[in-house]
Amino acid sequence: MSLVSRSCTPFLGQKPGTSGLRKKTRVFMEPGYLESFVQSIFNAIGSAKGKAFVIGGDGRYFNAEAIQEILRMAAANGADRAIIGQNGLLSTPAASNLIRKRGADGGFILSASHNPGGIDADFGLKFNGANGGPASESLTEKFYTHSQNLSEYTTLDADDIDLSRVGVSELEGMVVEVVDPVADYAALMREIFDFNRIRALLADGFTLSFDAMHAVTGPYATAILEDELGAPKGSVLNAVPSVDFGKGHPDPNPIWAKPLVDLVMSPDGPDFAAASDGDGDRNMILGKGIYVTPSDSLAVLAANAHLVPGYGKGLAGVARSMPTSAAVDRVAERLGLDCYETPTGWKFFGNLLDAGRITLCGEESAGTGSDHVREKDGLWAVLLWLNILAERRISVREIMQDHWQTYGRNYYSRHDYEAVDSTKAEQMITDLANRLPQLPGSEAGNLVIATADQFFYEDPVDGSESKNQGIRIVFESGSRGVIRLSGTGTDNATIRLYLEQFTPSEGALHMETQTALVGVAEAMSLITRLHDICDRPAPDVVT
Ligand code: VG1
Ligand code: CO
C-alpha cells in the first residue's frame, strides 16, 4: 500500500449548485474528476488531517466505487476516522444525524437526490459540515476557488475495503468503521415521536403505503414502519435500493410517483400514503383521495407539531424558502412565531437552526425538516404526520379542510420547463430583471402588478448576503408569481415558475388547483414572455 500524488487539471469550470455538485455520471467517472472535487474540499477545509468524516450515499450507480476512492483519499490526506453506512448506504438525513451524533468534522454524501441514476443518468456529491448541514455559500465558494487552482490530488494505491459487513478495520492509519445505516436514525425517531400512539393507530386498522421508489429510504421505512410500528408487510413499496432506481425518477411528486397517487385516489386505497426521493430527504404526503402540497404540509405540521412529544414545548420559530407558499406564515402569525423567508436550498436554514431561532422549516419542493438534524428529512415528515393523525384521529382530508377553514387556503403550483436552451433561458431572466423597475402599477392579463423585485437575502445570524435568488412578482390581488433557474439540473437549463393565490373565502376553498391559478399563470406568461423566448408552449412537469 503506498501514497500516491497524481496530477490533475483544474476542472470544475462551474460552481456547485443548490445542493452540492451534480453532473452526468460519466463526467464524474472521468479519471481525476471526482478526485479533484474531493481534494478541493480537503484543501478548502484546511486539511483532512486528524479529522473524522461520515461517508455514504443513495446507492445509485457509481456510489460504491466513489466511496472507495473517497476512503483512499481521506486516508492519504491523513484523516483519523471514516464512518460509513453498510454497503455504502446512508440517507441524507441519516448522514446528517451521524455527523452530529458522532461529533464528526463533516461528511460526504453521494447523491443526485431526485435525479435519475445510472451510467447515462446523474451523479452528485455534497459535503456537509460539523453541524450536519450542507456547506454554506461561502464554503461552497471556497471549494470552487480551490478547484480552479488544483494541480494534484493525493490518494492511496490500495485495495477496496469490504463495506458489506458492519465492523471496524484500518486503512493506512485511518480507522474505517462500517455502521448499520438505520440504527442511529431509528433511535432518533424514537426520541421525537410517540411510537406507541402510532402503533395503536395502525393496530386499529389505519392503512398506509410508503413508496421508497427503489431508493435509499427502503431499508429505513421497512425497519421503522413495518418492523417497529407494525404496518403490514408490503406497506413499503419498491423497498430495495437499486443502482438505477428501477429505471425511474426517484422524485416524490404526482408525476413520478403516479402509481402511488393512483392507488391512494382509488376507493379501496390506503388512508395515508407517502413517498421519498433518491437520498431520502424529500417527502410527498397524500391522504385517501387527496394530495397535500408541500407548502400546505409545512403549514399543517407547524400548526400541529405541539401534539408530538419532541415538539411538545412548542416551536421557536419557522422558516420557508422564498418560492414556498405563505401558508406557514399564516400559522406563524396566529401562533405568534417568528417566520423567516430564505433563498432556495437547505443550506440557508442551517444558521437559523443552529442559533435556535427556528424549530421547523420547509420548501415547496417536498422538503420539510426540523432542528433534529440539519437536512430535510422525508421519513421524519411521514412520522410527524402519522403521530399527528394518531393524536387527532381524523382523516388527512379532514385535517386539510379544518386547516383551510381556520387559516384560508394558499392555492399553489410549480411549473417546470426542463432542458431549455441555456442561452434563451438566461436571456429571458436578464430581460425580465431589466424590466422589473417599470412593472409596478402595470396590468398583466386581469391582474395589476403591485411589486416586482429580485429576492435578496441577508442572513440574520451572520449577516452574509445572497443576491439574485429569484424574481418575485406580487399582484394587487395578493397572488404571486416567482421565476428562477434551477441549480440542480444537469441538462441545459430548467426554468421553475411558482404560482400562488390566496383565498380566505369559505366558498372558494375547494377549487381545482390549476383552475384557481389560471389568472396568475396567464399574467406571469405575459410578464416573463417565457413561452415565446424559450419556444415552449407548456411546462414539462406540473406539481
Ligand atoms: C431543487 C429545489 C430546492 C431543493 C434542491 C435540492 O433546487 O427547488 O428546493 O433544495 O432541489 O433538493 P433547484 O435549484 O433545482 O430548484 V434535493 O432533494 O436535491 O437535496
Ligand atoms: Co433529495
Side-chain angles (χ1 to χ4, degrees):
M1 209 179 320
S2 62
L3 212 64
V4 283
S5 285
R6 299 207 177 103
S7 57
C8 61
T9 42
F11 79 114
L12 283 178
Q14 191 195 322
K15 299 182 186 185
T18 316
S19 178
L21 180 67
R22 259 176 230 186
K23 291 280 174 195
K24 291 287 165 205
T25 309
R26 286 185 195 272
V27 174
F28 257 104
M29 292 170 73
E30 280 166 20
Y33 189 89
L34 167 81
E35 289 85 347
S36 301
F37 188 45
V38 173
Q39 189 66 54
S40 305
I41 292 172
F42 286 146
N43 295 354
I45 61 171
S47 132
K49 243 187 198 63
K51 291 184 175 152
F53 298 105
V54 168
I55 308 171
D58 63 10
R60 70 180 60 221
Y61 189 90
F62 194 52
N63 187 61
E65 295 81 351
I67 288 181
Q68 295 290 348
E69 189 52 32
I70 296 173
L71 275 176
R72 283 191 279 266
M73 288 187 65
N77 279 271
D80 231 22
R81 180 181 288 265
I83 302 157
I84 308 144
Q86 189 179 15
N87 295 316
L89 292 181
L90 278 178
S91 76
T92 287
S96 181
N97 177 46
L98 266 184
I99 296 171
R100 295 165 65 78
K101 195 158 181 176
R102 301 295 304 274
D105 298 281
F108 291 87
I109 304 175
L110 300 91
S111 172
S113 192
H114 53 287
N115 297 24
I119 188 161
D120 290 314
D122 294 347
F123 194 78
L125 176 61
K126 48 188 176 176
F127 181 79
N128 284 25
N131 73 343
S136 64
E137 285 264 276
S138 60
L139 187 54
T140 306
E141 193 71 38
K142 268 195 182 174
F143 299 160
Y144 175 66
T145 323
H146 277 270
S147 80
Q148 296 288 291
N149 302 313
L150 196 72
S151 56
E152 60 173 37
Y153 64 86
T154 309
T155 187
L156 287 182
D157 208 354
D159 290 339
D160 284 359
I161 295 257
D162 180 6
L163 299 180
S164 68
R165 252 170 309 165
V166 169
V168 180
S169 59
E170 206 210 288
L171 180 65
E172 197 70 15
M174 179 178 81
V175 178
V176 177
E177 208 186 318
V178 178
V179 301
D180 177 336
V182 179
D184 291 282
Y185 180 82
L188 178 65
M189 295 302 113
R190 256 175 244 127
E191 279 170 30
I192 301 174
F193 300 110
D194 188 339
F195 272 25
N196 285 333
R197 277 298 239 265
I198 304 176
R199 220 174 270 129
L201 176 77
L202 294 170
D204 287 348
F206 181 93
T207 52
L208 69 88
S209 291
F210 178 90
D211 190 347
M213 303 192 82
H214 306 277
V216 79
T217 43
Y220 295 85
T222 307
I224 296 173
L225 299 175
E226 292 185 1
D227 300 346
E228 192 153 353
L229 294 172
K233 285 273 163 233
S235 299
V236 180
L237 311 168
N238 304 315
V240 180
S242 74
V243 290
D244 62 356
F245 307 121
K247 304 212 182 318
H249 279 235
D251 194 349
N253 65 36
I255 286 101
W256 297 114
K258 189 164 184 301
L260 184 76
V261 178
D262 290 345
L263 181 70
V264 80
M265 294 300 166
S266 71
D268 45 359
D271 297 312
F272 178 86
S276 191
D277 69 334
D279 61 330
D281 57 0
R282 296 189 177 203
N283 70 90
M284 174 175 69
I285 301 294
L286 301 138
K288 198 188 270 301
I290 188 168
Y291 163 71
V292 181
T293 69
S295 294
D296 273 349
S297 176
L298 175 63
V300 167
L301 295 179
N304 292 279
H306 62 277
L307 299 173
V308 170
Y311 309 100
K313 293 201 188 90
L315 308 174
V318 293
R320 63 165 169 87
S321 69
M322 182 275 281
T324 304
S325 97
V328 72
D329 303 32
R330 297 178 199 288
V331 175
E333 201 184 339
R334 177 91 47 123
L335 300 181
L337 300 172
D338 285 338
C339 180
Y340 298 86
E341 187 178 32
T342 59
T344 295
W346 210 260
K347 58 183 166 227
F348 294 102
F349 294 130
N351 279 345
L352 296 169
L353 290 164
D354 285 348
R357 293 202 189 196
I358 59 168
T359 309
L360 210 72
C361 47
E363 297 191 276
E364 53 67 39
S365 53
T368 332
S370 87
D371 59 358
H372 69 292
V373 288
R374 292 293 179 274
E375 287 277 6
K376 51 190 187 267
D377 189 345
L379 198 49
W380 164 88
V382 171
L383 292 167
L384 185 48
W385 263 97
L386 288 175
N387 203 155
I388 290 167
L389 288 162
E391 288 298 330
R392 294 189 60 179
R393 294 281 179 147
I394 56 175
S395 70
V396 174
R397 182 185 287 283
E398 286 162 334
I399 287 195
M400 294 318 299
Q401 283 170 349
D402 175 52
H403 188 88
W404 294 328
Q405 232 139 49
T406 311
Y407 298 98
R409 179 168 180 186
N410 290 69
Y411 284 99
Y412 188 85
S413 178
R414 188 176 94 189
H415 293 189
D416 289 340
Y417 297 78
E418 293 176 341
V420 176
D421 181 294
S422 300
T423 319
K424 287 182 181 166
E426 273 152 32
Q427 182 208 330
M428 188 262 302
I429 294 286
T430 316
D431 174 60
L432 175 60
N434 289 335
R435 286 185 285 118
L436 290 178
Q438 290 116 56
L439 291 179
S442 60
E443 284 176 19
N446 294 328
L447 300 179
V448 180
I449 300 169
T451 61
D453 66 356
Q454 296 229 49
F455 183 53
F456 166 87
Y457 182 65
E458 185 183 330
D459 189 302
V461 180
D462 68 13
S464 58
E465 298 181 345
S466 306
K467 282 184 238 153
N468 302 340
Q469 296 293 324
I471 293 177
R472 329 183 259 197
I473 315 273
V474 176
F475 299 94
E476 282 181 357
S477 63
S479 49
R480 183 182 78 151
V482 169
I483 192 162
R484 57 179 283 280
L485 298 182
S486 153
T488 59
T490 57
D491 193 4
N492 289 309
T494 296
I495 299 169
R496 302 206 196 283
L497 178 67
Y498 309 83
L499 307 169
E500 179 176 1
Q501 160 79 59
F502 175 68
T503 176
S505 139
E506 200 146 313
L509 290 181
H510 303 289
M511 290 170 74
E512 195 276 320
T513 300
Q514 300 304 323
T515 310
L517 294 168
V518 157
V520 59
E522 204 175 282
M524 285 304 286
S525 169
L526 290 167
I527 296 167
T528 61
R529 300 172 190 160
L530 146 74
H531 300 98
D532 297 335
I533 300 178
C534 301
D535 300 324
R536 287 301 179 86
D540 300 288
V541 179
V542 172
T543 53

